[in-house]
Structures are given as C-alpha cells and as structure tokens.
Amino acid sequence: MPGADDAHHGLMRQALDAALQGHRGANPLVGAVLVDDNGAVLATGHHRGAGTYHAERDAIESARARGVTDFSATTLYTTLEPCRHEGRQPACTRQILEAGIGRVTCGAADPSANGGGAQLLREAGLDITTAVLEEECTRLNHRWNLAQIQHRPFVTVHLAQSLDARIAAADGTSQWITSAPSRQHTHRIRERVDAILVGTNTAVVDDPRLTARTEDGELAESQPLRCVMGLRDLPRGAKLTQDKPEGQGWMQLRTRDPLEALRTLAATRHNGYPVKHALVEGGQSVLSALFAADLVDEIFAYIAPLLLGEGRSTLGDIGVTTLDEALRFRLDPADGGPVTQMGPDVCLHLTPEGP
Amino acid sequence: MPGADDAHHGLMRQALDAALQGHRGANPLVGAVLVDDNGAVLATGHHRGAGTYHAERDAIESARARGVTDFSATTLYTTLEPCRHEGRQPACTRQILEAGIGRVTCGAADPSANGGGAQLLREAGLDITTAVLEEECTRLNHRWNLAQIQHRPFVTVHLAQSLDARIAAADGTSQWITSAPSRQHTHRIRERVDAILVGTNTAVVDDPRLTARTEDGELAESQPLRCVMGLRDLPRGAKLTQDKPEGQGWMQLRTRDPLEALRTLAATRHNGYPVKHALVEGGQSVLSALFAADLVDEIFAYIAPLLLGEGRSTLGDIGVTTLDEALRFRLDPADGGPVTQMGPDVCLHLTPEGP
C-alpha cells in the first residue's frame, strides 16, 4: 500500500522537521505530529531541552490549546519511541494513555536501559507502528546515542576564531576576535548547559569567569558548573575561584585524558541532576584532545571576518596526518540552522558526519 | 522638501540593490532604475561585467522590452555618473540622449581620468541631479576605485580551506579539501577574470592547469591568462607550460613584490584587452604577500566542514602582530550574497572593511 506508506513517511518527516527546532544536549532531539483520522495535522510538538515538555506532550498540549478534547481517533507520530520513565517530566506513555490517543507511530526505538514504551502502549490496547523512517530518526541523534553508550555528557564545542582559524594574535591578544552578537549567542548556550569546560591554560591566560550573562551583563538565571581540565593549579585570585554566582563553585578535573574528564563530569551532580551536557570553550590543547578522541558531538564555529596571519591556531595535533584521515562534519540544520550571520560574523553549526 | 528627498533616496537604494546583482571585477558595480513622471519604476538594470551592457543601457533596454517607447518624461537613477567613453560598449551619455530621457539622478561621481558625463548631459539640456546617496554609492566600489588609483587589476582571492584554515594536511595532501560544487563555483570565476595567478610553489607542488572548465570537465569558452609569480623556474613538463587552451599560453611574473606583479599584469593584454581583473588562488606565500600589502579587493572563502589539525595554514605572516592590527573584512552582499552553502561547504564572500 504505497499511498499509506507515503502518508506515513510524510508525517514522520514533519515530526523530524519539528525535532530540529530543539537544542542538542542533555536529551535527544524529538519531534511529534498529531493527526486526525483523515491524516490532517492537528498539532506539532518538539522537545526544548531538559526540564521541559517531551515532544509528545508538547503536541498534545498544543492540540488542547486549539480546542481538541477527544483524542480517541488521533494518531501521534513521534520520531522516538515514547518513554515510560517518570523523571523531571511525567512518562510519555502515561500522557498518551491519559489523553486517550488511539494510535502511535514511532521512528527510532528508545535505546535507554529501562526500555521504551511501545510494548506498554500495545499491551494497553493502542495501535502501535514502529520503525517508520527508522534510519533517519536514529541518525538524528547518533551522537547523543554514542554519548549514552560512552557514559559521558553530550559535548558541544565553541570555536571563536578569525577566518584564518586563529584564536589569538601573535602577541597573545584575543579579546575580542568575535563580535558581541556571537558572544551573546554563546552566553545563551552557557545558560542551558550543565557544565562549561576549559583547559588550565585558558583559565590562566584569559582568567575567565565562565558565567552565563544576559545582554546587560547581569548573571543569567541558570548557571553551568564551571570546570577546568588539566594538572596545573590555578593562580590565587583567579576570577573562576573567586566569583561564585548563586553560591555555585567550580571544579578542577585533574587529568589530561578527555574521556576520563567527561566521565567524571557525568558522575557529578549540578543543581540536583547529573551533568549530561557540557560546553567546551577551549583552548587549543583541550579542544585538540577532544577532537582527537572523537568526543565532540556538536560545534558552533563563530568565524570573525578578519585575518591574523601568524598567531595561535584553533587546533593543534588532532591525530590527522593525511587528508583521508580528516575529521569530517556536516552542517547541522537543528537549533537555528546550519549557517547564521551574527553581526559581522558567521556561525557554522556542525555535527560529526554520521554513519 | 523631505518627501522628495525620501523618494530620491528610496529609488537610489533600489539602484544600489540592483548594482549588487553584478560581479565585482574589471568594472565597477553599477545599478540603475528608470521611473516614470509619477516615480513608478519602469525597469531596473545592472552591469554584468566587461563586454556587457552598462547599467543605464540595461535599464533602458529592459524598459523597451516592456513596451516603453517615449522616455521624455522618465528619470534615470544611476549609482554612478554615466560614462562618456566609447569603449566595448557605447557611451552611456549617447544611450541616454538617443533614448530621449529627460532627467538623470546620479550617486557617485565618475572618478575616471576623462571625466563622467553629467556635465555633457546638462549641456545637452537634461535635468541632472548629482550626489544622491553619494557616500553609499562611492563606498560600493571603494576597492575598485583604489585599484584604479594604484594602476593595478582588481584582485579577487580564492581561499579553499578546512574549518581550521588548512590548505593541506601534514603530509601535503590537499586534493580535494573542498567539494565539487565549490570547485565549480571557482571555475565560473576563472571563466570571467582576465588572469589567474598562483605562486611558483603551488605551480610546482600541485601542477595545476589553471584552465576554466565546465561541469563536464570541458574547457570553458573563455580562458584567463595563466600566471605564475615567483623567481623559481617551473619544471619541464609542468602542465601549465604544456596545455595551451585555445592557443593561449602562460606567463611568469619574476618578482616577489605583489604590486610589481599586478602592475605588470595591468600592462599586459589578454584577448585584446588589458588585464583588469585577476583571480589569485594561492598558495600561502603569494596570498600572505597580497594580504600584507593590502592588495586583496574581494575574497571567496570556501570552508569545508572538516578538520586537519596540523598541516599547511592558509596564511603565514601578513604583518599582523596584535589583534588591533588584524586585517578586517565585511560580508559582501554582492554577486550571490555574503554566505552561500555549496554542497557540504560554506562560501563566505568578503570585501575589505571600507572607509
């Protein structure tokens, strides 16, 4: 029945498009589309990050806001099998059952240890279809899945460089290469990650605060755990060790092994939850180590339209000696899109080339 | 009379927008808008490069194609004072007089030695207004004007690099860092420039043909003069010295001084005309020398979404030692726009920050 398959695929693609509206990070990207028994779309939904509605509930609430009360004849398309886990948000299976939705069509299977909710919903009498556009739906979160398998946080990297990929001029000056709009974008990312990580050299040379700040320079409501990776002690008086926004401190990860550092972070709690999303801001050594170990899941590369010639490179040795070994990424359409002009700069959003 | 001024400015801005549809190069960007006596736009026009209609004629012909025959009540807005020079194209003053246009409003004055045509048109009885949005109209071509003053071709630079600004991996492999769509874009630029320039090192290491080729790999109709700058002799059998597309040869500019090389080019004829537009494709030494001497008027930077870590940098020493001395560019909205996705790559179009 190719007609029905086409409709299935078309609606799952709409759910995939909705998923891309979210941010990558602690949770996977998920999108949902709710349709009536004629296949007309009643509402779409997507997940906006830890602590917010899951995509399924977002679609259901959006439909309710439009006056839908009887869900018995509706079908919910979701890019990821609904969860059965009661966490910061109620389980999606419960939301679906309470709404009285008749049919659920899923893309990717839930890879989590306690299993997804498809079987539970089937046992409750719902009509369940799985594995629709399974490959695309799984690929959407291939790096998030890898982070789970590796028991580490999802890693977003911030590169702020000149067109010739320098992060400082020959004399070490680096503030600021990128523009205020680019830096504000970074502050919005800082605000939603669990931890922010730099190397000891950056901590010493730049003496950063690593706080998330608003456009007015005020501390943002949510602050990441501020982490420094490396063996060297920070100097007395470093801003990082003194500023304690909202009573929150900082931590040093005394290792040069990036996976060890990330696993330590995953075992650390911040604001009551484990660290599931880390933003790495530099410098060259930490970034190069993460790239060399294939531990970067997402890049925001802010490119300022200026040239510095000689100076400090964004990256050093990443274990690549010939073009065939290059680390390959692709433009990421999620979360604002693949390419954004930010004031005079251009921000490229990238994720590793998938399987 | 602010109302009339606003209308003037609005129409000149439309002419500026039209100008941006053209390519930078041998000739300045010029746009024109033809309006009736109510200020309604009859046609717009722009210059598409050497050997094609000037913007004024483009607008006039476009209006004729739409059935306009009587131009006596029309006003022609043009970003640049109409030329009075009979060259590959007839003088704009003659076109305007022959069409019988009543009024002409210009932005920038024609800086050329033999003078622009505003006075000539005024003497012929037309109603001439000059210097409307003069600053913007002049800034549009500030680098083209500089190239004229310096008696050198307009210089477009092609950078094809990884995200970390490497043009080769550590072992020297470099073909291909950028994708086929990026390389095809470069071939279309090669086709319209007068000369293409690389350093002797690139000529020896890459052994390029430097021909303009179509997507099918065939020789394009128009071929640039192929030039190598540097003191070193090319090896016997170098492709550049053997392939002679359409009977055209190559030339060596035996100097390390980029301005000297460019002035030699300006004094060289290719296909019967002086070299007015040069495309420089690398490598590191030639590019660095050009940037250091502020001789780059336009950049197409093709960024491939891959990382090479250690390898050959796009640029070496460009005379910048501290951030304040950085060479600053701005995204260029002309000729296809400031940022374009080309297959997996992103192309940034830049021009030096203006006055």
Side-chain angles (χ1 to χ4, degrees), chain A residues 171 173 305 307 322-323 327 329, chain B residues 171 173 305 307 322-323 327 329:
Chain A
D171 69 348
T173 48
L307 296 172
T322 189
L323 183 52
L327 306 187
F329 297 80
Chain B
D171 70 348
T173 47
L307 296 172
T322 189
L323 184 52
L327 307 187
F329 296 80

Side-chain angles (χ1 to χ4, degrees), chain A residues 34-282:
Chain A
L34 193 70
V35 301
D36 69 15
D37 51 357
N38 294 318
V41 174
L42 298 169
T44 62
H46 69 274
H47 180 55
R48 289 172 178 77
T52 69
Y53 284 178
H54 289 185
E56 295 89 330
R57 186 174 183 188
D58 192 47
I60 292 167
E61 296 297 343
S62 172
R64 282 195 176 119
R66 290 168 197 195
V68 177
T69 52
D70 180 358
F71 290 86
S72 58
T74 64
T75 303
L76 183 70
Y77 284 79
T78 176
T79 56
L80 182 64
E81 184 182 355
C83 76
R84 56 190 292 172
H85 175 71
E86 301 283 345
R88 270 194 261 190
Q89 291 290 318
C92 290
T93 45
R94 183 151 66 85
Q95 298 288 323
I96 289 166
L97 291 171
E98 285 178 5
I101 288 171
R103 275 187 302 278
V104 177
T105 301
C106 332
D110 184 340
S112 68
N114 41 1
Q119 187 55 29
L120 186 152
L121 292 172
R122 192 173 280 130
E123 284 162 9
L126 276 72
D127 181 0
I128 306 295
T129 307
T130 56
V132 171
L133 294 186
E134 186 176 21
E135 198 183 314
E136 285 95 320
C137 289
T138 304
R139 201 190 307 133
L140 177 67
N141 291 302
H142 79 282
R143 292 299 300 199
W144 186 87
N145 294 331
L146 179 65
Q148 305 309 299
I149 292 165
Q150 295 183 329
H151 303 288
R152 60 166 179 85
F154 185 90
V155 174
T156 297
V157 153
H158 149 116
L159 306 177
Q161 63 179 33
S162 63
L163 178 62
D164 54 342
R166 303 295 177 179
I167 54 175
D171 69 348
T173 48
S174 65
Q175 288 179 353
W176 299 105
I177 289 177
T178 52
S179 66
S182 293
R183 300 200 304 275
Q184 283 159 16
H185 186 261
T186 298
H187 278 279
R188 293 196 293 276
I189 300 174
R190 285 183 178 184
E191 205 175 343
R192 67 175 194 252
V193 298
D194 302 313
I196 179 169
L197 178 66
V198 298
T200 46
N201 191 56
T202 298
V204 171
V205 172
D206 293 350
D207 192 18
R209 287 189 176 84
L210 299 183
T211 48
R213 292 186 296 278
T214 66
E215 285 193 28
D216 306 329
E218 304 291 316
L219 282 175
E221 206 169 305
S222 176
Q223 292 294 330
L225 178 63
R226 301 171 304 150
C227 306
V228 179
M229 173 179 156
L231 304 179
R232 194 150 48 121
D233 285 329
L234 296 198
R236 273 171 190 284
K239 285 182 190 139
L240 195 55
T241 66
Q242 298 200 315
D243 290 5
K244 295 197 176 173
E246 301 293 314
Q248 286 155 16
W250 66 288
M251 74 184 283
Q252 183 157 3
L253 300 156
R254 288 196 188 265
T255 173
R256 287 199 176 119
D257 176 346
L259 184 55
E260 187 187 325
L262 292 176
R263 286 191 170 151
T264 302
L265 272 182
T268 303
R269 295 177 83 84
H270 177 62
N271 291 338
Y273 294 95
V275 171
K276 291 175 141 190
H277 187 195
L279 173 65
V280 184
E281 292 206 16

Side-chain angles (χ1 to χ4, degrees), chain B residues 2 9 25 42 48 63 69 93 98 102 120 150 161 175-176 187 216 253 269 295 302 326 330 348:
Chain B
H9 288 180
L42 299 171
R48 290 170 177 78
T69 51
T93 45
E98 285 178 5
L120 185 152
Q150 294 183 328
Q161 62 179 34
Q175 289 181 350
W176 298 106
H187 278 281
D216 306 328
L253 300 155
R269 295 178 84 83
L295 290 170
Y302 307 86
R330 59 180 169 77
L348 305 188

Side-chain angles (χ1 to χ4, degrees), chain B residues 143-217:
Chain B
R143 292 297 302 200
W144 186 86
N145 293 332
L146 180 64
Q148 304 310 299
I149 292 166
Q150 294 183 328
H151 303 290
R152 60 165 179 87
F154 186 89
V155 174
T156 297
V157 153
H158 148 115
L159 306 177
Q161 62 179 34
S162 63
L163 178 61
D164 55 341
R166 303 296 177 178
I167 52 174
D171 70 348
T173 47
S174 67
Q175 289 181 350
W176 298 106
I177 289 177
T178 51
S179 66
S182 292
R183 300 200 305 275
Q184 283 159 16
H185 187 260
T186 299
H187 278 281
R188 292 197 293 276
I189 300 173
R190 284 183 178 184
E191 205 175 346
R192 67 175 193 251
V193 298
D194 303 312
I196 179 169
L197 178 65
V198 298
T200 45
N201 192 56
T202 297
V204 171
V205 172
D206 293 350
D207 193 18
R209 287 189 175 83
L210 300 183
T211 48
R213 290 185 297 276
T214 65
E215 285 193 27
D216 306 328

